[in-house]
Each structure stands twice: as C-alpha cells, then as structure tokens.
Amino acid sequence: MELVYCWGKNYASLSDIEINFNTKFSFQFDETNENLKFDEYEEAINVFSYAYHNIANVTALIGENGTGK
C-alpha cells in the first residue's frame, strides 16, 4: 500500500491543504461536490525502478527555512 494523496480542511495554521505524494498521478478534491478527481501521467518515470526494485517513490516536504518537516 502506498500513500499517494493527502487532503486536509483545517489543521493547525493550515487550511485546505492538498499534498500529492506520487509523480504518476495528480489528485484534486472538489469539496463542494465531495468528489476526488485524478489524472494519470502516461510518461511518468520511476528512476528508482532501474537500480532499486523495492523503492516505489521518494517525497520530501521542505519548509520555509529549508529544513524537512
């Protein structure tokens, strides 16, 4: 199982936040209709599949001061 998308309405100082964790899919949540839409990118390349077969994806969250969160 892989986490590919996260949406939050209100959390701490964040509101209506969307995070896409996958480069092959792009997700968008329509709050008024409560629909989750996604697009698949045909030409997405997994650079890790060539050397490391057990790594599916790597995502980094970078803060304002450059540190990881």
Side-chain angles (χ1 to χ4, degrees), residues 44-65:
I45 299 172
N46 183 356
V47 296
F48 298 105
S49 65
Y50 298 110
Y52 306 101
H53 299 290
N54 57 348
I55 298 176
N57 196 2
V58 174
T59 302
L61 299 177
I62 307 299
E64 186 174 320
N65 58 1

Side-chain angles (χ1 to χ4, degrees), residues 6-57:
C6 181
W7 176 82
K9 184 167 179 75
N10 290 314
Y11 179 75
S13 63
L14 303 173
S15 62
D16 295 327
I17 185 168
E18 292 183 292
I19 303 172
N20 284 291
F21 292 109
N22 194 307
T23 57
K24 189 173 180 177
F25 298 100
S26 174
F27 292 89
Q28 272 190 319
F29 181 65
D30 182 5
E31 188 178 359
T32 57
N33 296 327
E34 295 183 351
N35 288 332
L36 182 63
K37 301 175 188 175
F38 73 95
D39 293 319
E40 183 176 358
Y41 298 118
E42 296 284 332
E43 299 185 20
I45 299 172
N46 183 356
V47 296
F48 298 105
S49 65
Y50 298 110
Y52 306 101
H53 299 290
N54 57 348
I55 298 176
N57 196 2

